[in-house]
Amino acid sequence: MGKSVVTETNKILVVTSYNPDTRSISSHLNTFIEEYSRLGGKGEIVVETVNCENLSGMHEWPGRLLELIAKHAESGHLGMIVLMGQEAWATYLSLNEEWVKQFPVLPSLISMNAIPIPRDTINVEEWKPVCINPFKGNTTNFVGGIAYEYDVERNIKLVKDHFPQTQRIAFISDNTYGGVAMQALVKETMKKFPELELILLDGRMDSFISVNEKIRNLPSNTCILIGTWRIDRTENFFIGNSTYMLQKANPTIPAFSVSATGLGHWAIGGYIPDYHNVGVEMAQMVKSFLDEEGREYTEVNPIESKYLFDVQKLNEFGLNTNNLPSQSEFVNAPLDFWEEHRLFVIVCSTAFLSLLIGLLGVGYYAIRVRKLRDNLIVSQEQLIIARDKAEESNRLKSAFLANMSHEIRTPLNAIVGFSEVLVSAEHSPEDRLSYCEIIKKNSDSLLVLINDILDLSRIESGQIKMTLQKENVAGILRDALLTVQQARRTKAEFKLEVSDAEMYLNTDGYRLKQVIVNLLSNASKFTKEGSIVLAMHKDEGICVFSVTDTGCGIPKEKAQKIFERFEKLDEFSQGTGLGLSISKLIVEKLGGEIWVDTSYTQGAKFVFTHPIEN
């Protein structure tokens, strides 16, 4: 698309959407920063968010984006804008200001189909946008891009090929920009299939409960096409297993997925984009354009897609895998002989060894009789100890249930109380909005408490196994710091201090990040201003991590008690009191220790270790 002469610049503005995929975006972002640094990039990377949290406020997105670009353009050193996420990308497309178009733009994690963002307030439920091609017209400031292409037509052909009796397509989409954009694409594509009736299960107008009921009552000869499902009309974010419940509403109806949602437990298959971490590709594009001669503007090409099918669902609906497209990939495929019969082989081997040991034991029995008599006395003592431990365990269980009941009752009382107040007619709209916010906050608190209790139970019972693999610790630290920073709970400055930017550990990266996020979140909760420092260094075979803040601190007498369940320094502060207990269990399962450094008196300092050779 030609070349451009750009003045010497040193700032790369990365703008994210801040939508429910924030965790995923932070992973891409962290990889991008690491790879750009490894390639020797000279630009300064600055990360901002448009805070596109819900559709009801989308008319405010363009103004926020303009303010962000203007703020960084004033210095005269803005060299490129990197847009991450559908919302940030669509917001940029809605800008008509010519001065914005002078900056090179790299879109990523976007869709090839788009819908325009209105700059005035609208009724989201009545909004019926039409698909547009964002790459037609004046696109001279694009420097490449990474986009997904959702091929609805191929998925409908899959439905017709495998279920030719289908008369209706029920499309599921949620109350997000991506869901509305995908719905617009489906409506446009369905014009090619006039013989099929389109039923819309729209999260803008339906709640999770009403969508569940509509799926249960779908007529025969209907096939479900899954788009996205994370937020319904209540604007509440659903956990990943909500689609399991939707599937159970009518398991006899076949379903296909356009976006990989529902694959593995609900959808038979689908033609979907090949999702992967695009941070490396982003870094290469930015480095090539800014730091090399002959800066070229290029077209945005979609990432390749693939056919992906669930073998269990294919068998459940009696579909032959030989009739699938070539080069199809599969999930839930049958196990090989060893994986399938491993338990049987282990049981048989164990039984044989037990029999052999038993035969040898018979010959040894006469000698052992005398020793058993002596051991009987010891066993009686051990039984007494075991009885005492059982009684203590029962006491701890009762205390745990009492604490849990108290913690659950508090948000439930608020939800029930304000729900009753809300139905009264004598309150103003402002009061009703305030009551709704209180109900939502307490619902979120209740969900966090239940998730923490389940997490604690699974870790203690051994249901969660640590998956150890080689991980870049510095990357995990940066990812955790970005996650907590985006929550914006404090005015304190976040700092990262690492002794080795390429430090690798054999660890469970997800659980290690969970511990660090817990400690950082606690620090941000009790540190209104000052600084919060996340540090890491090596020390004689171990890796030492610490989170130091300038907050209110922890009394010495509570330094050990703070790791107990439901223990909180401030009973009136938000939180379940389980975060540090979970962190302690995870650190110990990874082979380390965690404690409060009581010698630090300027706030609170938590320290934990991790073996370098694990």
Side-chain angles (χ1 to χ4, degrees):
M1 295 179 65
K3 298 183 178 181
S4 171
V5 178
V6 182
T7 59
E8 288 298 321
T9 57
N10 63 1
K11 183 181 291 187
I12 302 165
L13 175 60
V14 180
V15 182
T16 68
S17 300
Y18 190 66
N19 56 22
D21 288 328
T22 299
R23 287 188 178 181
S24 173
I25 286 183
S26 66
S27 176
H28 293 277
L29 181 58
N30 186 57
T31 303
F32 162 68
I33 294 173
E34 285 184 354
E35 181 65 13
Y36 184 68
S37 175
R38 191 190 68 80
L39 292 173
K42 302 175 183 177
E44 174 194 358
I45 298 176
V46 180
V47 181
E48 298 278 9
T49 66
V50 188
N51 291 328
C52 305
E53 296 183 79
N54 51 63
L55 285 180
S56 59
M58 63 182 167
H59 60 282
E60 300 175 357
W61 301 352
R64 296 178 194 165
L65 182 57
L66 276 174
E67 289 180 5
L68 290 177
I69 298 175
K71 179 177 72 173
H72 293 282
E74 288 177 356
S75 64
H77 298 291
L78 180 58
M80 177 180 290
I81 301 173
V82 178
L83 301 169
M84 295 185 67
Q86 292 249 67
E87 291 86 351
W89 164 240
T91 302
Y92 175 83
L93 293 176
S94 70
L95 301 181
N96 300 318
E97 289 75 6
E98 288 298 325
W99 65 269
V100 176
K101 308 298 181 181
Q102 66 179 304
F103 302 108
V105 172
L106 173 68
S108 62
L109 300 175
I110 65 170
S111 171
M112 293 294 288
N113 62 293
I115 53 177
I117 297 293
R119 300 186 73 164
D120 295 320
T121 305
I122 63 168
N123 186 332
V124 175
E125 295 184 8
E126 299 176 355
W127 186 36
K128 297 180 180 180
V130 179
C131 271
I132 61 171
N133 185 340
F135 306 108
K136 282 186 178 180
N138 182 18
T139 58
T140 56
N141 62 328
F142 295 164
V143 297
I146 301 169
Y148 303 122
E149 185 170 30
Y150 297 103
D151 197 328
V152 177
E153 184 173 351
R154 289 205 192 196
N155 282 284
I156 294 177
K157 287 181 179 179
L158 279 177
V159 173
K160 292 175 67 66
D161 289 343
H162 295 286
F163 297 93
Q165 73 280 12
T166 300
Q167 300 175 2
R168 305 167 193 84
I169 297 292
F171 179 69
I172 299 176
S173 60
D174 62 3
N175 189 20
T176 64
Y177 172 86
V180 178
M182 197 173 293
Q183 184 190 102
L185 178 62
V186 169
K187 290 165 68 175
E188 182 68 26
T189 306
M190 285 294 291
K191 295 177 181 179
K192 301 179 182 179
F193 301 92
E195 73 279 9
L196 295 177
E197 175 189 352
L198 177 61
I199 301 174
L200 296 179
L201 304 178
D202 193 339
R204 292 178 297 167
M205 291 168 280
D206 288 314
S207 66
F208 173 80
I209 295 176
S210 61
V211 165
N212 196 69
E213 186 64 24
K214 287 183 178 180
I215 292 176
R216 182 178 292 108
N217 296 321
L218 285 175
S220 59
N221 296 330
T222 299
C223 186
I224 294 175
L225 197 61
I226 307 170
T228 58
W229 186 257
R230 292 188 299 273
I231 300 175
D232 66 1
R233 64 174 299 175
T234 65
E235 297 186 345
N236 289 322
F237 174 64
F238 287 99
I239 56 178
N241 62 2
S242 63
T243 52
Y244 284 84
M245 299 174 65
L246 294 178
Q247 183 268 339
K248 292 180 180 178
N250 200 338
T252 61
I253 292 186
F256 288 82
S257 179
V258 179
S259 63
T261 300
L263 270 169
H265 62 275
W266 185 7
I268 296 172
Y271 187 70
I272 63 173
D274 187 9
Y275 298 107
H276 62 277
N277 193 315
V278 300
V280 172
E281 300 164 61
M282 291 168 55
Q284 292 171 346
M285 290 181 185
V286 173
K287 174 71 166 59
S288 175
F289 183 82
L290 287 182
D291 298 343
E292 297 179 11
E293 295 183 0
R295 297 166 173 168
E296 295 189 0
Y297 292 101
T298 59
E299 294 182 352
V300 178
N301 296 314
I303 291 175
E304 292 185 359
S305 295
K306 62 183 179 182
Y307 286 101
L308 186 63
F309 294 93
D310 185 331
V311 175
Q312 292 183 3
K313 287 294 178 180
L314 289 171
N315 295 332
E316 182 180 325
F317 284 91
L319 301 179
N320 192 338
T321 57
N322 296 327
N323 297 330
L324 301 178
S326 60
Q327 297 181 339
S328 295
E329 298 182 14
F330 301 93
V331 297
N332 294 331
L335 302 175
D336 57 27
F337 178 84
W338 166 246
E339 290 293 334
E340 186 175 0
H341 301 285
R342 178 174 57 182
L343 182 60
F344 176 76
V345 172
I346 292 174
V347 171
C348 290
S349 301
T350 303
F352 175 77
L353 290 174
S354 300
L355 180 61
L356 180 61
I357 294 171
L359 291 174
L360 294 174
V362 171
Y364 194 63
Y365 179 74
I367 300 173
R368 292 290 298 171
V369 168
R370 183 177 299 174
K371 292 185 177 180
L372 287 173
R373 184 183 60 188
D374 298 333
N375 290 339
L376 182 59
I377 299 174
V378 177
S379 297
Q380 290 175 341
E381 295 175 352
Q382 291 176 343
L383 283 173
I384 295 173
I385 296 174
R387 182 198 62 190
D388 294 338
K389 288 184 176 179
E391 291 175 352
E392 176 65 12
S393 176
N394 187 57
R395 186 188 66 79
L396 291 175
K397 180 187 71 174
S398 299
F400 176 83
L401 291 175
N403 278 326
M404 185 175 68
S405 300
H406 170 73
E407 293 294 338
I408 291 178
R409 190 182 299 112
T410 300
L412 274 179
N413 286 340
I415 294 171
V416 173
F418 282 96
S419 297
E420 292 176 351
V421 173
L422 192 60
V423 298
S424 305
E426 63 269 23
H427 298 287
S428 66
E430 293 77 9
D431 289 337
R432 291 177 180 272
L433 182 61
S434 175
Y435 299 154
C436 289
E437 287 295 323
I438 293 173
I439 293 172
K440 182 179 183 302
K441 288 180 180 178
N442 281 276
S443 299
D444 293 341
S445 299
L446 185 60
L447 180 60
V448 170
L449 172 62
I450 293 174
N451 284 337
D452 282 349
I453 291 172
L454 292 176
D455 214 2
L456 182 67
S457 175
R458 287 195 292 263
I459 294 174
E460 283 192 331
S461 62
Q463 294 182 19
I464 295 181
K465 303 295 183 183
M466 295 298 164
T467 305
L468 303 182
Q469 61 184 11
K470 194 175 183 181
E471 297 276 4
N472 184 354
V473 181
I476 294 175
L477 297 183
R478 281 192 289 268
D479 197 357
L481 203 61
L482 279 171
T483 301
V484 178
Q485 278 183 304
Q486 288 186 352
R488 302 181 183 274
R489 295 178 177 174
T490 177
K491 295 180 180 179
E493 179 184 8
F494 286 85
K495 298 179 181 179
L496 177 62
E497 297 177 359
V498 294
S499 59
D500 190 348
E502 295 293 328
M503 177 66 186
Y504 286 87
L505 287 178
N506 193 32
T507 187
D508 187 325
Y510 174 80
R511 292 297 173 182
L512 180 59
K513 179 184 174 183
Q514 182 179 356
V515 173
I516 297 170
V517 169
N518 274 343
L519 296 179
L520 287 172
S521 297
N522 277 349
S524 64
K525 188 187 304 181
F526 296 103
T527 307
K528 302 303 181 182
E529 56 187 15
S531 64
I532 299 174
V533 180
L534 172 61
M536 180 272 292
H537 69 274
K538 293 187 289 185
D539 184 15
E540 297 183 355
I542 61 173
C543 191
V544 182
F545 301 82
S546 66
V547 174
T548 308
D549 64 54
T550 58
C552 60
I554 299 173
K556 289 186 177 182
E557 61 273 18
K558 284 200 172 186
Q560 289 303 322
K561 194 176 180 181
I562 195 73
F563 293 101
E564 296 178 4
R565 302 169 186 168
F566 295 106
E567 184 64 27
K568 296 193 289 186
L569 289 179
D570 183 1
E571 288 298 326
F572 300 97
S573 65
Q574 289 185 341
T576 64
L578 292 175
L580 290 177
S581 298
I582 294 172
S583 299
K584 186 174 185 292
L585 286 173
I586 293 174
V587 169
E588 290 175 349
K589 282 187 175 291
L590 291 175
E593 298 178 355
I594 186 169
W595 67 91
V596 177
D597 185 357
T598 55
S599 64
Y600 176 74
T601 59
Q602 302 302 314
K605 181 176 182 180
F606 284 83
V607 184
F608 71 94
T609 61
H610 190 297
I612 293 179
E613 295 295 332
N614 200 350

